Amino acid sequence: MFSAAITGTGVFTPEHTITNDELVAAFNAHADLFNAENAAAIAAGTIEAKPHSSSEFILAASGIERRYTLDKEGVLDPTRMFPKLPNRADDEPSLMAEMAVDASLQAMAQAGKSADDIDAVICAASNHERAYPAIAVEIQQLLEINGFAFDMNVACSSATFGIQTATDMIKSGSISSALVVCPEICSAHLEWRDRDCHFIFGDVATAVLIERDEGLQGDHFKIKSTRLATKFSNNIRNNNGFLRRTRDQMEDRRDMQFMQNGRKVFKEVLPMVSKHIAEHMNDEDVQASDLKRLWLHQANKTMNDYIGKKVLGRVPEADEQPNILQDYANTSSAGSIIAFANYSSDLNAGDVGLICSFGAGYSVGSVILERA
Ligand code: COA
């Protein structure tokens, strides 16, 4: 058996940001339009009036202050309320591939590696912009990487599931390196017209280069252990899919965008994640006092505070459990990887840290790392 290590990371960040105040102003204008258009039905009690959103609620409930999006205008247009992304011809790079290539080149540069050094590409994301061919194969071609590539989707946990998949292939010897990329265009599946969730997501792409840990020069993190778990739940769900046309569901339907029962997610996912991390650490003989850093999935600050306290047995210092969700919002599978990419270079040789992602499925994945 071989060992594997993370040798490079990259983060592609879109140019547009939307603050909570901008988002709420657009939502409230949309709600006013909706209520005026439906005044008679609202008065008759057949349609519910849309209440206003508030920046104070968003910050208090989630910890999110702003998010990056590929398009701002469409999202903030009260008569539209979703991004407007230009159509691309089939012979142009797809948007997800373009974002992933940007992040991948950063990861490769950090590791000092070229396409010839890489054997596989895994595109692990919550959504893929077409059914086929796989986005990963297009990324592979754009980067001129040999070998093979494939897509996978485990929603918010896609990154850690991709990392374990790549690590296991490297350990077995079938490949010696892989890029795990997470291009997330969350703005396109978010329902911006629903105040319960309109603030949750942002767009980003991350890349992680994983290599066989053999004669590695330069900075890297040894992958000591990985662990995955899933348990079916309908509490985070999106019904959009290739059967839509067959079911005569082409109209504008709420269930074709992100839906969640946030309270239930909170109650059910927190114990699942805390137990998962505790058991993983216990089985690998990692004590809370050994952990120098927790790079958690970035959905909600209160959730992260809770998990950090459970794992460490005390309130974590800010630098022990860094959050990026105030700037990026929830970026699905990319969140924990942005935290890792931005807050890992200060660790010393021998320091241990843990990446953990969790979300729809339900799914949870953890990766124990040691700075070489
Ligand atoms: N502005 C003002 N008020 C709002 C609002 C908004 N944008 N959105 C909801 N509210 C209201 C609700 O209607 C509710 O009012 P009520 O008490 O009169 O019914 C109240 O605020 C509380 O709403 P609730 O949904 O219970 O808030 P919450 O504290 O659970 O926070 C989330 C909402 C989504 C931030 C939180 O549940 C969460 O983060 N859950 C887990 C999310 C997660 O990890 N999902 C994974 C996604 S991949």
Side-chain angles (χ1 to χ4, degrees):
M1 285 278 265
F2 297 100
S3 301
I6 295 179
T7 54
T9 53
V11 179
F12 161 81
T13 302
E15 62 177 290
H16 304 292
T17 53
I18 299 178
T19 64
N20 287 346
D21 285 349
E22 290 174 307
L23 188 69
V24 165
F27 179 89
N28 291 349
H30 158 75
D32 292 345
L33 279 175
F34 176 90
N35 293 340
E37 274 166 22
N38 294 285
I42 291 168
T46 51
I47 289 183
E48 270 187 45
K50 273 200 191 201
H52 276 187
S53 180
S54 102
S55 297
E56 294 71 34
F57 171 86
I58 294 171
L59 186 61
S62 69
I64 297 165
E65 294 172 26
R66 63 189 71 84
R67 68 283 299 140
Y68 290 93
T69 51
L70 291 170
D71 174 59
K72 182 167 176 171
E73 240 178 273
V75 170
L76 295 185
D77 176 353
T79 63
R80 182 177 173 94
M81 304 293 281
F82 53 93
K84 192 171 180 61
L85 302 172
N87 192 29
R88 291 182 173 204
D90 288 355
D91 58 0
E92 289 181 88
S94 67
L95 192 46
M96 282 180 72
E98 196 172 85
M99 296 161 71
V101 163
D102 185 295
S104 297
L105 290 172
Q106 294 177 41
M108 290 159 67
Q110 194 182 85
K113 293 291 152 71
S114 68
D116 290 342
D117 301 311
I118 300 167
D119 296 337
V121 178
I122 300 175
C123 180
S126 291
N127 293 278
H128 293 91
E129 74 181 75
R130 60 170 177 264
Y132 42 82
I135 309 290
V137 180
E138 188 184 355
I139 297 165
Q140 176 198 6
Q141 189 235 7
L142 289 168
L143 289 169
E144 299 181 25
I145 288 171
N146 296 313
F148 63 92
F150 59 90
D151 289 350
M152 57 188 279
N153 175 358
V154 200
C156 290
S157 286
S158 298
T160 51
F161 278 64
I163 288 172
Q164 172 162 312
T165 305
T167 301
D168 286 351
M169 290 192 291
I170 290 168
K171 281 165 119 177
S172 75
S174 65
I175 59 172
S176 60
S177 63
L179 273 169
V180 178
V181 297
C182 301
E184 292 285 8
I185 310 178
C186 297
S187 62
H189 74 104
L190 175 57
E191 182 49 272
W192 298 91
R193 297 169 295 183
D194 180 348
R195 79 163 185 167
D196 286 346
C197 67
H198 76 121
F199 53 89
I200 288 182
F201 286 115
D203 300 334
V204 83
T206 56
V208 174
L209 180 60
I210 305 176
E211 296 185 73
R212 184 185 291 174
D213 190 359
E214 209 175 59
L216 287 175
Q217 311 288 322
D219 285 343
H220 58 277
F221 280 84
K222 292 172 180 296
I223 300 176
K224 304 297 284 181
S225 174
T226 60
R227 180 167 296 190
L228 312 176
T230 49
K231 187 176 187 298
F232 188 70
S233 166
N234 277 319
N235 286 324
I236 310 171
R237 190 169 170 123
N238 182 330
N239 282 332
N240 204 359
F242 79 108
L243 294 181
R244 185 170 181 177
R245 189 177 61 146
T246 67
R247 292 170 173 159
D248 296 318
Q249 293 180 335
M250 297 310 286
E251 73 276 18
D252 181 13
R253 287 169 61 108
R254 176 66 190 89
D255 65 333
M256 297 299 160
Q257 283 77 245
F258 168 85
M259 295 190 299
Q260 78 163 348
N261 186 335
R263 285 269 152 177
K264 275 201 175 154
V265 173
F266 229 101
K267 264 178 78 174
E268 293 172 4
V269 167
L270 284 180
M272 181 179 172
V273 172
S274 307
K275 187 164 169 275
H276 177 94
I277 296 177
E279 288 177 358
H280 191 185
M281 286 170 56
N282 189 49
D283 291 350
E284 296 299 330
D285 206 18
V286 174
Q287 313 303 317
S289 54
D290 298 331
L291 266 192
K292 288 287 179 294
R293 196 137 306 164
L294 270 172
W295 300 284
L296 296 179
H297 174 51
Q298 302 285 315
N300 181 293
K301 184 173 181 305
T302 310
M303 277 178 121
N304 285 5
D305 289 348
Y306 177 96
I307 295 167
K309 195 170 167 197
K310 272 268 174 212
V311 172
L312 297 184
R314 59 178 169 79
V315 177
E317 302 294 330
D319 64 340
E320 288 179 307
Q321 185 212 292
N323 283 328
I324 53 89
L325 57 82
Q326 63 282 2
D327 298 318
Y328 282 88
N330 183 344
T331 50
S332 198
S333 65
S336 58
I337 304 302
I338 306 173
F340 172 66
N342 290 357
Y343 295 98
S344 53
S345 60
D346 60 314
L347 293 192
N348 297 314
D351 283 351
V352 174
L354 183 142
I355 297 177
C356 182
S357 64
F358 46 85
Y362 298 131
S363 55
V364 51
S366 48
V367 180
I368 299 174
L369 298 173
E370 183 189 312
R371 180 87 192 238

